[in-house]
Amino acid sequence: MKTEIRQAAQAGADIVELRLDYLESIDEDRDIDALVKCCELPTIATFRPAWEGGQYQGAEDYRLAVLKRAADAGCTFIDVELKVAEEFLKTFPKESLEGTGLILSRHDFERTPPAEELQAWVAQAWDIGADVVKIATTAQTITDVRQVIDLLQKKRGRTIALSMGDHGQISRLLASKFGAFLTFGSLEKGKESAPGQTTVKDLVSVYRIHQQNEDTQVFGLIGNPVSHSKGPVLHNASMQSIGFDGVYVPFLVDDVDAFLSAFPEFSGFSVTIPHKQSALKYGVQHGDVDVVAQKIGALNTLVRLEDGSLYGCNTDYLAAIKAIENALRSIGHEDLKGKNVVVVGAGGAGRAIAFGAKEKGANVTVVNRSKESAEKLAADVGCSVRGLDELLKGEIRGDVLANTTSVGMYPNVEHSPVPAKILPGFLVVFDAVYNPKNTRLLQDASAAGCAIANGVDMFVGQAAEQFALFTKTRAPVELMAEVVASSLQ
């Protein structure tokens, strides 16, 4: 643990939590003094019992005595569970803590209780004598985070409020924005002490937790999944480079309507799989969506206007078409006019590329696992439909094959949407997946002698257009390309 304490300081932590319940054994007289002494940063001593989500399963009176010993050793704070706070203070009155702050905490590892119940926990903690109140609930959906943010906005003293789990991650990433006393980070992935934690390094360097304030504008990626996205790395580095007071976070969203309604203060959104079409519907109902996005039937960008309404558009199609045409030019072809383009997938990206290729004068064919979705897209764009089984058997040939599905995305990097044997039937193969940059599909296409266009060029291009809309400033495109390239290495 001493090594980890030093690593935390080096990573940029402001305070170190000593999770005593993770130690295999503990000598309270020797070990606690040594741990506190070796830590140059302020400390929180936590000895979490199994009944509150921790590791300790021994006698309760011993556990509470160890926490008192941590206070005697000079810990800045000790964390005592709200359920036993009165018992603790009967044995160890607050004045006996001699300057050590008392954090009273309450956790719910199954749900986010109603607002009234949360407020009752907070009131109880203050009444008992907390110096800091900590409330940690479990988010079943991202909209559960709304209640945690409301706790912070109504706080009467130093408060830690967070939602555990992947759906609640934004409560940790935006803690400083909403005035939390602190947030928690792990030293590295795989060493989280609670579900949904990110690393100290990412909190400090990617999400700039120390620079956030109440005026910081919040942007992010609406999708499911979102953990693979390089959007936070790209947009946050770009915002920092121009001195823009904003932060870009991943939003793990199940229901777009519920999410956008729950967080009207957020300033702008990128939209990815599987929400591009439902986001379009919401944008049309609650704001203004440009004509191109409505023709495509999907959007990938929403921006909050000054009056609170939303403006929606699609920056995917121009970036994708540019990447494909650059690949064509590399083998002596001018553009897409008259070319036969086979689009795999009928979701938001598929609609964007089918529409864009059709506008460029290409002959477009859509193949998709769901024939109904493919037929709808074909009717909207004015193109043909073929069966996915025909493509997989090599019965469809063309000039360009464009994969717009998520097949091959990290971590499933060995997967490909089509077998390698069919690829010699195409001049150019495009893959909208950008993580990894060189997907299995593109590796197979190169081996087959095809020119390739990767998802990174499309990703950077569409992100640059979004950035300009978010910040009203020209995007640092070269920096964006460098950031994405380095993050994929």
Side-chain angles (χ1 to χ4, degrees):
M1 187 177 282
K2 291 181 180 179
T3 300
E4 293 175 329
I5 288 172
R6 288 190 290 270
Q7 290 173 343
Q10 292 168 359
D14 304 297
I15 190 168
V16 173
E17 183 182 34
L18 305 176
R19 284 299 298 264
L20 304 178
D21 52 306
Y22 277 80
L23 296 175
E24 291 184 7
S25 62
I26 183 170
D27 182 320
E28 63 268 30
D29 291 324
R30 181 193 65 223
D31 295 337
I32 294 177
D33 282 337
L35 289 173
V36 175
K37 186 176 180 180
C38 82
C39 188
E40 297 179 358
L41 296 174
T43 51
I44 301 171
T46 301
F47 200 6
R48 192 76 72 214
W51 52 261
E52 189 86 354
Q55 303 295 309
Y56 179 72
Q57 300 187 53
E60 188 68 6
D61 56 350
Y62 172 76
R63 186 181 73 85
L64 298 181
V66 168
L67 286 171
K68 174 59 167 64
R69 181 68 185 82
D72 294 342
C75 275
T76 316
F77 297 96
I78 58 171
D79 182 323
V80 176
E81 296 73 27
L82 184 58
K83 293 177 182 178
V84 296
E86 291 181 331
E87 177 187 347
F88 177 84
L89 290 172
K90 283 180 182 178
T91 307
F92 307 108
K94 194 171 180 183
E95 56 268 21
S96 72
L97 300 182
E98 297 182 352
T100 294
L102 181 63
I103 299 174
L104 295 185
S105 60
R106 182 71 186 263
H107 301 73
D108 191 319
F109 288 90
E110 295 182 358
R111 62 174 187 141
T112 298
E116 296 79 8
E117 188 172 347
L118 295 178
Q119 290 290 355
W121 292 354
V122 171
Q124 181 187 5
W126 290 127
D127 289 346
I128 290 173
D131 295 304
V132 180
V133 173
K134 177 187 175 187
I135 303 295
T137 66
T138 298
Q140 301 295 341
T141 70
I142 196 169
T143 52
D144 286 341
V145 180
R146 177 75 264 171
Q147 291 180 198
V148 169
I149 290 175
D150 288 345
L151 280 183
L152 291 172
Q153 292 179 328
K154 297 174 183 176
K155 67 182 185 297
R156 75 184 222 197
R158 293 182 294 184
T159 302
I160 304 164
L162 55 89
S163 294
M164 296 180 287
D166 292 338
H167 284 93
Q169 189 181 47
I170 63 168
S171 69
R172 301 176 182 275
L173 304 181
L174 300 174
S176 294
K177 155 73 177 176
F178 291 108
F181 177 56
L182 56 79
T183 189
F184 295 87
S186 64
L187 284 177
E188 58 186 78
K189 291 182 179 178
K191 288 191 174 182
E192 299 85 359
S193 61
Q197 278 185 6
T198 189
T199 64
V200 174
K201 180 180 178 182
D202 282 351
L203 283 170
V204 173
S205 62
V206 176
Y207 300 102
R208 292 172 290 142
I209 197 79
H210 290 131
Q211 283 74 52
Q212 290 178 30
N213 59 79
E214 63 180 358
D215 296 322
T216 299
Q217 294 186 58
V218 177
F219 304 87
L221 174 67
I222 296 173
N224 191 351
V226 290
S227 60
H228 67 282
S229 176
K230 302 302 178 184
V233 177
L234 179 148
H235 281 285
N236 286 317
S238 300
M239 289 178 185
Q240 184 175 21
S241 75
I242 66 167
F244 182 80
D245 187 10
V247 61
Y248 185 102
V249 299
F251 296 122
L252 180 60
V253 172
D254 300 313
D255 184 322
V256 170
D257 288 26
F259 168 72
L260 290 172
S261 298
F263 298 99
E265 68 267 53
F266 292 170
S267 299
F269 312 91
S270 308
V271 185
T272 189
I273 297 170
H275 295 312
K276 293 184 178 183
Q277 289 163 278
S278 54
L280 173 75
K281 293 178 182 177
Y282 188 93
V284 170
Q285 293 171 356
H286 299 275
D288 177 36
V289 177
D290 77 1
V291 174
V292 173
Q294 293 191 53
K295 286 183 178 179
I296 293 172
L299 58 74
N300 74 325
T301 308
L302 285 167
V303 181
R304 187 84 60 185
L305 303 179
E306 289 185 5
D307 64 1
S309 65
L310 291 167
Y311 167 73
C313 62
N314 191 307
T315 67
D316 278 335
Y317 81 102
L318 290 175
I321 296 304
K322 181 178 180 181
I324 292 170
E325 289 193 327
N326 285 342
L328 282 168
R329 293 187 183 101
S330 73
I331 55 174
H333 294 261
E334 183 60 29
D335 53 33
L336 278 168
K337 186 175 182 179
K339 298 293 188 294
N340 296 311
V341 177
V342 178
V343 178
V344 183
R351 297 185 70 86
I353 292 177
F355 175 87
K358 181 73 173 178
E359 287 287 296
K360 284 283 189 173
N363 304 307
V364 178
T365 299
V366 177
V367 298
N368 189 59
R369 191 172 302 278
S370 166
K371 191 173 182 180
E372 181 181 354
S373 297
E375 289 175 342
K376 184 179 187 313
L377 172 55
D380 292 343
V381 174
C383 63
S384 62
V385 178
R386 298 282 295 273
L388 180 60
D389 58 332
E390 295 178 77
L391 177 65
L392 300 182
K393 292 176 183 177
E395 297 173 1
I396 303 175
R397 302 171 70 87
D399 299 300
V400 177
L401 177 69
N403 173 49
T404 68
T405 74
S406 60
V407 177
M409 179 187 294
Y410 177 85
N412 302 309
V413 297
E414 293 303 316
H415 295 181
S416 175
V418 299
K421 65 182 181 181
I422 76 162
L423 298 176
F426 297 89
L427 297 175
V428 170
V429 174
F430 167 82
D431 197 343
V433 172
Y434 69 88
N435 186 16
K437 179 179 180 178
N438 195 23
T439 61
R440 170 55 57 188
L441 172 61
L442 295 184
Q443 293 175 47
D444 291 343
S446 293
C450 306
I452 63 172
N454 63 62
V456 172
D457 291 336
M458 174 184 173
F459 177 65
V460 172
Q462 61 83 27
E465 293 296 327
Q466 290 180 338
F467 184 88
L469 290 167
F470 291 160
T471 65
K472 300 178 177 59
T473 305
R474 184 180 180 276
V477 178
E478 291 184 2
L479 173 64
M480 286 182 156
E482 291 173 4
V483 168
V484 174
S486 63
S487 71
L488 294 176
Q489 290 176 358

